[in-house]
Amino acid sequence: MDPTMALEQATRDALERAAKAIAGARRVVALTGAGISFESGVPTFRGPGGLWRQFRPEELANLQAFNRNPALVWEWYSWRRQRIAESRPNAGHECLARLERRLPAFTLVTQNVDGLHRQAGSARIVELHGNIWRSVCARRCGVVLDESPWETRRDPECRWPEPGALPRCTCGSLLRPDVVWFGESLDTDVLGCAIDEAGAADVILVVGTSGLVYPAAALPDLARRNGAATIEINVEPTPLSESVDIVLRGPSELVLPALEARL
Ligand code: OAD
């Protein structure tokens, strides 16, 4: 068999095995990362054109940076919100939303803050790293402001903080984006929910993540140790590739629909 045909055959076999595992599962969890939103035009963090290749996280995504220069941090998050507002969910997001409706128990655990899974129609979502469309009181007085991306589309300028007019909480403190910054812990309830879901899963689909950021990167192994079949969908090998049961190499916007078609 020529090498291309052998590779195609191997991919088909892997797709068949993955589909069989999903079809026979009672509980399925998908863990997603920035790769699933790449085709929608949302930059990843570490790949070519990745955000951490262009920007210094320590100047933009941590509390000290925000305390030092909140206008700069808001400017960066406003720019990211703008990019996301201009993007749409892709076939990968849509496919996961359909799987939730189709399978008996399906939970989406995402590291993404872009809200595209919800926009695609997923409902049972655990957002490990927060959501870029929400703002919270920087002093954590309890105020949370949930702003819909659709409003942004109508008036893209509305979330640009004017100099001297940074968004403020009703308590007088500054508002900050409701995302997890470097050096911060994940919300314990949110993480607990993700751990419970991964621990109870029969199948975990790991989609478009470099598997470098913990605790999210530990969830596939947790699921595997509790008996789940582990399936990775990624365009490149990752540190998780060695230990998963099935690797589906390719873009999630193509691989997920191909998998769904076999269910
Ligand atoms: P990364 O940017 O680290 O990794 C993106 C992954 O997606 C890489 O493994 C790519 O190979 C893969 N990829 C790219 N395009 C793809 C496609 N079309 N289909 C499938 N895979 C594709 O993003 P994350 O792993 O999500 O944290 O990063 C984890 C966390 O690091 C983020 O949530 C963020 C960042 O610091 C916080 O902000 C707290």
Side-chain angles (χ1 to χ4, degrees):
M1 197 185 287
D2 89 55
T4 316
M5 276 175 69
L7 186 66
E8 280 173 8
Q9 181 64 48
T11 308
R12 271 200 302 275
D13 289 350
L15 276 170
E16 296 294 346
R17 282 195 297 133
K20 202 167 160 209
I22 292 170
R26 279 171 302 115
R27 302 178 76 91
V28 176
V29 166
L31 170 68
T32 64
I36 195 165
S37 296
F38 178 76
E39 205 256 343
S40 296
V42 182
T44 63
F45 291 93
R46 296 173 181 80
L51 290 174
W52 295 154
R53 295 212 179 168
Q54 305 166 58
F55 301 100
R56 290 162 63 87
E58 60 272 24
E59 283 170 15
L60 296 162
N62 72 45
L63 187 60
Q64 289 74 24
F66 182 76
N67 288 338
R68 211 168 39 238
N69 194 345
L72 177 70
V73 173
W74 264 116
E75 186 178 336
W76 191 59
Y77 278 94
S78 299
W79 172 78
R80 284 183 61 195
R81 282 179 170 186
Q82 188 65 56
R83 294 265 328 234
I84 294 163
E86 287 160 3
S87 55
R88 294 283 179 279
N90 64 52
H93 299 104
E94 284 161 4
C95 191
L96 291 178
R98 283 194 299 275
L99 286 185
E100 178 181 334
R101 291 192 288 272
R102 180 168 173 176
L103 298 174
F106 180 92
T107 304
L108 188 66
V109 179
T110 187
Q111 297 166 85
N112 299 347
V113 298
D114 57 29
L116 289 179
H117 283 302
R118 200 173 303 280
Q119 207 184 325
S122 287
R124 209 174 147 75
I125 308 174
V126 180
E127 290 178 320
L128 284 175
H129 294 163
N131 187 305
I132 201 165
W133 297 105
R134 276 196 317 262
S135 307
V136 284
C137 175
R139 220 191 292 156
R140 302 280 176 192
C141 79
V143 165
V144 179
L145 217 86
D146 211 342
E147 299 165 86
S148 133
W150 293 277
E151 279 167 19
T152 311
R153 287 206 189 93
R154 283 203 302 274
D155 180 7
E157 298 304 313
C158 72
R159 53 190 78 245
W160 179 257
E162 293 297 327
L166 287 165
R168 284 201 179 268
C169 177
T170 44
C171 80
S173 171
L174 287 174
L175 287 168
R176 57 164 276 184
D178 190 10
V179 296
V180 177
W181 281 335
F182 284 90
E184 293 182 328
S185 303
L186 273 61
D187 181 285
T188 42
D189 290 342
V190 170
L191 179 59
C193 184
I195 289 172
D196 289 349
E197 291 291 341
D202 302 309
V203 169
I204 185 163
L205 269 170
V206 186
V207 188
T209 177
S210 57
L212 292 171
V213 175
Y214 285 79
L219 294 173
D221 191 48
L222 171 77
R224 191 181 54 78
R225 283 186 282 110
N226 283 279
T230 48
I231 302 167
E232 180 183 62
I233 300 176
N234 200 306
V235 288
E236 287 177 359
T238 75
L240 303 173
S241 306
E242 289 285 295
S243 55
V244 296
D245 298 309
I246 302 170
V247 173
L248 299 173
R249 188 68 63 232
S252 45
E253 62 276 13
L254 299 181
V255 174
L256 280 166
L259 186 57
E260 186 189 17
R262 286 167 169 79
L263 283 177

